[in-house]
Amino acid sequence: MNKKLIVLDLDGTTLKENQTISLRTKSALKSARSLGHEVMIATGRPYRLSSFYYSELELTTPIVNFNGAVLHHPLNPNYLDAYHESIDLSIVKDILDYSSTLPLANIAAEVQDSVFLERSDNTVPETFHLGVNNVVIGNIRQTINTNATSLLFFGKIEELDLMSKHLDEELADVISHHTWGASWPAVEIVKHGIHKAVGIQRAAKSLQIDAKDIIAFGDEANDLQMLDYAGTGVAMGNAIPAAKNVADAVTLSNEDDGIAIYLEENLLKK
C-alpha cells in the first residue's frame, strides 16, 4: 500500500461536541502512523486554538490554519513551504466600511495569533479570547494597522446574506468567503483563492505524497475543496449535504468515531 496522508478537519470531524478526541480515534490515527502513514490537521482555527490537538496526537507534520491562509510547521521554524496569505489592509478597510451599514452582532479580525474585536461580549465564541496575548477591543477600522489573515462578521442570517451578496458583487476577485452556522452565524473572509486544499497540496508535496494518496475528513462548507482535492474525500455522518455530495465516501458522525471506523475498515484491516 502506498504511503497515505490523512488530513483532519477539527471541529465537527476529529473533535466530538465536547471538544475532545475519542480514544478510539486517537488509537486509529496512532496505528496508521505506526504503519508509515502521515497525519496532519487542516482547520479554520488559528494555531493557538489547534496546538493542543497537534500535541495530543503527537504529530510531526505541517499544519494548515485559517482555512488555508496559513501553512507552517510547528516543529520546524525553517520549513521552506510555509506561507501566510493575508488580505490587503486597504481591502480590509473597504469591507469594514460596508459592514458599518449593517446591524451586525460583532466583527473580528485575526492577524496570525492576534485578535481585533469590535466588542467584547458573548456574540462571538469564547475561544476568541483563549490563548491570546494580544486582544484589541474597539472600532477595528481604527485599530487594525496591518494586513489581516481573516475577517469574521457575526449576525443574523439576513444580514450575513447581504454581506455575502456585496462580497460576491464587489470583491470576488480579491477575497474568498464562506459561512459559519451553529450557535454563531458568521461570514468568514480570507484572501482570494485561499482554501484548505491550497495548504494541503503544498504540504503533501513536501511530504512527497501524491494527491491520489490523500485521505481527507471533513464536515462543513470550508472542507469542500479539500474533500474534492483529496484522492479520497470522506464526509462525516454529521456533514452538510454539499460535503457528502462532493466526498468519495461517508462515514459515521464525529460523535460515533467516524474517522476511526473508516480507517479501521479501509486502511488498518489485515
Side-chain angles (χ1 to χ4, degrees), residues 9 11 43-46 48-49 66-67 106-110 117 123-128 150-158 160-161 164 176-190 196 219-223 240:
D9 168 53
D11 296 282
T43 178
R45 293 181 176 219
R48 69 176 188 278
L49 300 181
F66 290 107
N67 289 315
N106 212 335
I107 302 170
E110 301 197 67
L117 278 175
T123 56
V124 298
E126 62 181 29
T127 52
F128 273 81
S150 73
L151 292 171
L152 288 123
F153 297 88
F154 297 87
K156 297 177 181 178
I157 299 301
E158 52 268 28
L160 301 181
D161 286 345
S164 295
S176 295
H177 69 91
H178 65 270
T179 56
W180 282 13
S183 302
W184 292 277
V187 170
E188 181 172 14
I189 301 171
V190 293
K196 291 183 180 182
D219 72 306
E220 266 291 351
N222 61 335
D223 297 316
I240 62 173

Side-chain angles (χ1 to χ4, degrees), residues 87-242:
I87 310 166
D88 187 87
L89 181 59
S90 63
I91 297 168
V92 169
K93 295 200 171 184
D94 283 347
I95 297 171
L96 290 171
D97 286 342
Y98 173 77
S99 72
S100 67
T101 68
L102 301 173
L104 295 167
N106 212 335
I107 302 170
E110 301 197 67
V111 180
Q112 293 277 41
D113 281 327
S114 294
V115 177
F116 296 79
L117 278 175
E118 197 82 4
R119 290 177 290 281
S120 181
D121 55 30
N122 62 1
T123 56
V124 298
E126 62 181 29
T127 52
F128 273 81
H129 299 88
L130 298 177
V132 181
N133 294 321
N134 187 16
V135 182
V136 180
I137 309 296
N139 187 314
I140 298 176
R141 181 69 169 75
Q142 298 174 4
T143 56
I144 193 166
N145 58 6
T146 189
N147 296 351
T149 309
S150 73
L151 292 171
L152 288 123
F153 297 88
F154 297 87
K156 297 177 181 178
I157 299 301
E158 52 268 28
E159 298 159 5
L160 301 181
D161 286 345
L162 288 172
M163 172 64 74
S164 295
K165 184 173 184 290
H166 172 77
L167 296 172
D168 287 336
E169 292 177 351
E170 302 295 332
L171 296 165
D173 59 335
V174 291
I175 61 95
S176 295
H177 69 91
H178 65 270
T179 56
W180 282 13
S183 302
W184 292 277
V187 170
E188 181 172 14
I189 301 171
V190 293
K191 186 177 178 180
H192 177 66
I194 291 299
H195 46 73
K196 291 183 180 182
V198 174
I200 293 165
Q201 181 179 26
R202 190 177 297 197
K205 184 177 180 180
S206 73
L207 293 166
Q208 298 182 314
I209 296 176
D210 292 335
K212 65 181 176 60
D213 291 316
I214 298 173
I215 304 171
F217 294 89
D219 72 306
E220 266 291 351
N222 61 335
D223 297 316
L224 297 181
Q225 293 93 343
M226 172 180 79
L227 293 173
D228 185 53
Y229 174 73
T232 305
V234 184
M236 307 303 291
N238 53 289
I240 62 173

Side-chain angles (χ1 to χ4, degrees), residues 74-92:
L75 305 181
N76 180 9
N78 298 315
Y79 179 58
L80 295 179
D81 288 290
Y83 68 77
H84 175 207
E85 295 287 354
S86 57
I87 310 166
D88 187 87
L89 181 59
S90 63
I91 297 168
V92 169

Side-chain angles (χ1 to χ4, degrees), residues 11-13 17 219 235-240 244 251-255:
D11 296 282
T13 300
E17 295 307 310
D219 72 306
M236 307 303 291
N238 53 289
I240 62 173
K244 292 180 179 179
T251 186
L252 296 186
S253 74
N254 59 327
E255 292 294 310

Side-chain angles (χ1 to χ4, degrees), residues 1-5 36-38 207-210 213-214:
M1 180 182 293
N2 290 345
K3 181 178 181 178
K4 304 295 184 182
L5 173 60
H37 304 299
E38 300 280 6
L207 293 166
Q208 298 182 314
I209 296 176
D210 292 335
D213 291 316
I214 298 173

